[in-house]
Amino acid sequence: MPIDRDRLWRRIEALAGITDPDRPWTRRSFSPRFIEGRAWLAAEFRASGLATSIDAGGNLVGEWAGTDPALPPIVVGSHSDTVPAGGRFDGILGVIAGLEVAQGLAERGERLRHPLKVYDFLAEEPSEFGLSCIGSRAYAGKLTPDMLALKRADGVTLREAMLAVGGRPDELGSRAAAAPVAAYVELHIEQGRILESAGCDIGVVTDIVGIRRERITVTGRADHSGTTPMAYRADALVGAAAIIEAVHAKALALQAAARPVIGTIGHLVVVPNAANAVPGEVALSLEVRSADEDAIDRFGAELLETTRERTEALRLTVRRELVSHVAPTACAALIQQAAADAARLAGYSSQPIASGAGHDGVFVAATGPIGMIFIPCRDGRSHTPEEWTEPAQAEAGARVLAETVRLLDHRLAAPGPISPAL
């Protein structure tokens, strides 16, 4: 399945170039730039010979029919929205590479046994509605009425915003079950430096980590900073600092585990937050990521137990509450094997790797087996303007994606060994 490297790269550059000019590379979901990018993508889908539509969840879909319409589709793709100044490849690569695979089939008049669908999932990145993975949640039948009622700052509901981009959210509630997929495969930049450090071409993703977020509130007593002696203070920020340090130390100690744990305190709210006041309360956001579900569940409770003696000595009270929890998602063994075989057949090195970021596949997994293919990105940088991968690396990923799709089409329809020729 040949890949047109120049066309692949031109399209990546063209879609990335649809950005807020004063803040590259930014194309936030539901924004005018996003709608412009969607229109460009839809035109490219149609010009490539794909049957193109917007589904009820607001996802852009291009389909190349298979020879057996009774078979569920093989789905490839990713997302085209970005975080602010979020980079040129995150999401874009998977959509454009998926289009390149489908167009290659169309140009040769070749059909797989399975239908092949290319998806641009709506709003994978956190949106102004406080929700991520909107399109893939909808696809999996997991976008609830409460979610559709969420409002952004201007009062527009998610339901209204989905209607504006061509979705039909009122149809989602009538779906008794999500439409099954034969397999979902997403090509993505690694967003880390493991592949680059190892000099490896391809990452075969084993798991998408679980993500648990908790709010930890440290309560002391606000006092005048000039008149309250140090020995009499109940400084909530000092206690928060102890917790922050403990998060770092605990997660660092778990890096040698078979499934490492990442712990982050990324947001603080300090009250009263004044230069001349002892902090009376601090709210911290704790985020824990790992493919080890038990470790995620235990982390917060063990953290507070570790710091209890210190916070009690400071005369502080500490409470924690769950904000959100998404369990780890394992990638299907059959897709991991197909991707590893595809890399070998195409002449690329590969290694197993876990994804430390969340992806649409977490929700698509409710509909069938999922897998991911990673390529290196420079210095592991992502969600920044400096995000970069080389044209040859993008080509390698697209070639491995194409061969993975071909192998899966054969193995899912007629399980057994195959000796394919590129």
Side-chain angles (χ1 to χ4, degrees):
M1 295 177 68
I3 293 297
D4 186 328
R5 170 176 166 170
D6 292 339
R7 180 172 62 194
L8 174 73
W9 192 255
R10 284 197 308 270
R11 281 176 167 160
I12 290 172
E13 290 281 85
L15 182 52
I18 302 173
T19 177
D20 292 350
D22 59 340
R23 192 173 50 164
W25 309 87
T26 302
R27 191 172 46 263
R28 302 290 288 137
S29 56
F30 304 105
S31 71
R33 295 291 181 193
F34 174 77
I35 293 170
E36 181 184 352
R38 265 292 180 84
W40 180 88
L41 264 177
E44 294 294 301
F45 278 23
R46 289 190 292 267
S48 300
L50 306 185
T52 304
S53 62
I54 301 287
D55 72 6
N59 302 307
L60 175 65
V61 188
E63 180 174 2
W64 182 244
T67 60
D68 187 348
L71 291 176
I74 294 174
V75 177
V76 296
S78 191
H79 62 96
S80 64
D81 66 311
T82 75
V83 298
R88 301 157 72 175
F89 302 95
D90 179 354
I92 291 175
L93 173 66
V95 177
I96 299 300
L99 171 59
E100 180 62 32
V101 172
Q103 184 170 355
L105 291 169
E107 288 175 339
R108 297 190 306 279
E110 180 182 344
R111 296 191 184 273
L112 305 174
R113 300 177 208 187
H114 296 80
L116 178 64
K117 292 188 176 184
V118 184
Y119 265 75
D120 171 29
F121 284 109
L122 178 64
E124 189 267 357
E125 303 289 5
S127 67
E128 292 182 351
F129 298 93
L131 190 68
S132 60
C133 296
I134 290 170
S136 52
R137 289 176 195 263
Y139 183 86
K142 295 187 176 184
L143 195 65
T144 66
D146 286 348
M147 293 174 184
L148 290 171
L150 292 170
K151 293 183 179 181
R152 65 189 185 198
D154 62 1
V156 171
T157 66
L158 176 55
R159 176 186 174 278
E160 292 166 339
M162 290 177 69
L163 287 168
V165 298
R168 302 180 302 282
D170 292 340
E171 296 180 15
L172 296 174
S174 65
R175 297 176 69 184
V181 302
Y184 171 70
V185 190
E186 180 175 350
L187 175 64
H188 208 280
I189 58 170
E190 181 196 340
Q191 301 180 282
R193 60 187 65 185
I194 293 173
L195 294 176
E196 183 182 62
S197 298
C200 187
D201 301 316
I202 298 293
V204 177
V205 179
T206 57
D207 307 88
I208 302 173
V209 295
I211 304 175
R212 182 181 178 91
R213 294 189 176 107
E214 298 181 7
R215 181 179 296 105
I216 297 176
T217 304
V218 182
T219 304
R221 194 178 80 175
D223 282 302
H224 193 295
S225 64
T227 60
T228 308
M230 301 301 292
Y232 292 98
R233 297 185 179 198
D235 190 325
L237 190 55
V238 175
I243 290 171
I244 294 168
E245 177 63 28
V247 168
H248 179 78
K250 182 174 176 59
L252 195 62
L254 293 170
Q255 292 309 286
R259 293 179 170 178
V261 175
I262 301 295
T264 305
I265 300 289
H267 185 256
L268 298 177
V269 178
V270 181
V271 179
N273 200 27
N276 60 347
V278 176
E281 183 175 275
V282 180
L284 308 87
S285 66
L286 168 65
E287 180 189 85
V288 185
R289 298 185 182 220
S290 178
D292 185 336
E293 176 78 343
D294 289 340
I296 292 174
D297 284 342
R298 295 194 309 267
F299 194 97
E302 292 177 352
L303 171 72
L304 296 198
E305 187 59 36
T306 299
T307 56
R308 183 183 305 281
E309 183 176 346
R310 174 63 171 151
T311 55
E312 288 181 348
L314 291 166
R315 296 182 293 277
L316 305 173
T317 60
V318 183
R319 68 179 188 278
R320 50 187 277 264
E321 56 187 314
L322 179 65
V323 175
S324 63
H325 184 104
V326 177
T329 302
C331 292
L334 69 96
I335 300 179
Q336 292 185 55
Q337 186 63 58
D341 290 345
R344 175 179 52 81
L345 290 163
Y348 297 112
S349 59
S350 71
Q351 68 177 61
I353 188 171
S355 172
H359 298 281
D360 286 309
V362 168
F363 295 96
V364 180
T367 71
I370 67 112
M372 295 191 71
I373 298 164
F374 280 174
I375 62 170
C377 59
R378 183 188 293 167
D379 294 330
R381 302 294 300 280
S382 183
H383 286 188
T384 72
E386 294 80 19
E387 183 178 278
W388 182 258
T389 195
E390 295 294 332
Q393 293 171 323
E395 178 190 14
R399 289 189 180 281
V400 173
L401 175 66
E403 188 63 13
T404 300
V405 167
R406 195 176 75 81
L407 290 172
L408 287 171
D409 182 57
H410 175 88
R411 293 173 181 177
L412 289 165
I418 181 174
S419 299
L422 290 169

